[in-house]
Amino acid sequence: MTNVPLEKLCDYACEDADLTLQLKEHFEPKLKEAKQSAPFEQIECPLIPVLIEMEANGIAFDTEILSEISTKLAIQIDTYKKQIHELAGHEFNINSPKQLGEVLFDEMFLVENPKKTKTGQYQTNEEVLHKLVDDHKIIQIILDYRSATKLKSTYVDALPKEISANTKRIHTTFSQAVTTTGRLASSNPNIQNIPIRTEQGEEIRRAFIPRSGNFTLLAADYSQIELRIMAHLSGDEGMKQAFIDGEDIHTATAARVFGVALNEVTKEQRRRSKMVNFGIIYGISAFGLSQRLRIPKKEATEIIENYFAQYPAVKTFMDNTIATARDKGTVETISGRIRHIRDINSSNQTVRSAAERYAINAPIQGSAADLIKIAMIRIEKMLRGKKTKLLLQVHDELVFDLHTDEQHLITEIQKQMEDAIPLDVPLTVECGTGENWLQAH
DNA sequence: TCTCTGCTCAC
DNA sequence: CAAGTGAGCAGAGAC
């Protein structure tokens, strides 16, 4: 075992349950000797065998469900393609942003001064096309074409190729050391970006199924984990109270920002507040918010000012985090995971502002990663000797093969996730089961 | 075959 | 200039 490169071993382990066990036994004592830092010793090292097991477990996959979708998409794509070529007056490669831009803007003149990319091509992304949707009927068809080809090439046709000949399951690779914040990454295939937002997209999740008739899929999701971490780290009383009272955070935020009662919040107000809440986590600008909400910049500025007036400790937290980054060149998560922030003192405002956004986002996103990793380590320990298996992690969600005789584990898993790190606000986890990943949500 | 670009999927 | 973290696809061009 010692003569084989570790990477290879992990590959083989996916196909070989006995080797997986050997790897786990090999790692655990060695890792205890390593001494570097709390997140390294307490989180990353004990997580290694957990990830090895998840990769080895794999998730069962029903290709037949997808073949139906594939045929449907192929017909749609063909129809769109013909309509687009007809409206354009000639054939061209719609998949080429370069060719598409030339058709729309050099031949059809749909815009006076089209935006260009840094290489001088016309921009044809979703945002640009959406603005033109009422100007010409070709635009909506292009958007539909893009969405259909994306689903077909990236998911419907690609996922079946990833099924292991031995296990008949899909075994992703989790990268533990590629992200700047402490999140995991998933590849070959990436199971962390399986569609869910559109009706046609979410159908793909039906193909992810339990390993046999004695199992169901269990999905356990943290609710609003990043905003709860913001409430905790900032100590903002108003935001904390909203979570303690079990309120819908976007509605509660809207009530405060727009100065109305909770039951008077309109859908539009909630939508705007939701965007602001997300913006806060990412490091917001008035311009960015105005673009996303499609409102004047002045209005966006007003909303942000109201937000900070209502959640003053959030503003203080953001200022303090940036000050620390300037002072020490680093920021930290709850577990002490460090991110170095370069360019925080740059004289170039664009560069400096970007560094400030990284400084604000890293403790939030990284602490969420700490939390779920701790939960994974404890849950894997709890599941030893059980039939239920941990399969996937999608940043704030864990997916399991749940044995039908082990229903009691749902509450145990939920508890482990909610209690991973005690915060000043409650953490809530929603669990669902089903015959596929879509149903489990 | 490799690398870069533009785009789009997720949290 | 302008919202954080990733991965994968097709096109396009260098080699």
Side-chain angles (χ1 to χ4, degrees), chain A residues 263-275:
Chain A
N263 57 6
E264 287 171 358
V265 171
T266 65
K267 274 192 175 176
E268 179 59 18
Q269 286 172 330
R270 186 181 183 280
R271 187 182 76 91
R272 291 186 178 193
S273 298
K274 189 174 173 180
M275 293 295 254

Side-chain angles (χ1 to χ4, degrees), chain A residues 218 220-222 225 368-384 386 390 396 398 400 408-423 426-431:
Chain A
L218 165 65
D221 280 71
Y222 282 105
I225 190 170
D370 291 344
L371 256 161
I372 195 166
K373 282 176 169 177
I374 289 170
M376 289 163 72
I377 293 161
R378 294 183 186 158
I379 287 168
E380 187 271 346
K381 207 172 266 178
M382 186 174 84
L383 293 182
R384 287 183 196 177
K386 303 278 198 285
L390 176 55
D396 64 356
L398 297 178
F400 300 83
H408 61 282
L409 287 175
I410 298 177
T411 340
E412 298 299 315
I413 286 165
Q414 184 178 17
K415 209 185 297 171
Q416 291 287 358
M417 289 176 76
E418 292 180 345
D419 298 345
I421 301 177
L423 304 183
L427 285 179
T428 64
V429 168
E430 289 173 8
C431 295

Side-chain angles (χ1 to χ4, degrees), chain A residues 7 36 192 357:
Chain A
E7 282 176 34
Q36 292 217 357
Q192 294 182 322
R357 293 194 295 275

Side-chain angles (χ1 to χ4, degrees), chain A residues 152-163:
Chain A
K152 189 161 190 294
S153 65
T154 307
Y155 304 104
V156 176
D157 293 348
L159 286 173
K161 297 178 191 160
E162 300 283 351
I163 297 172

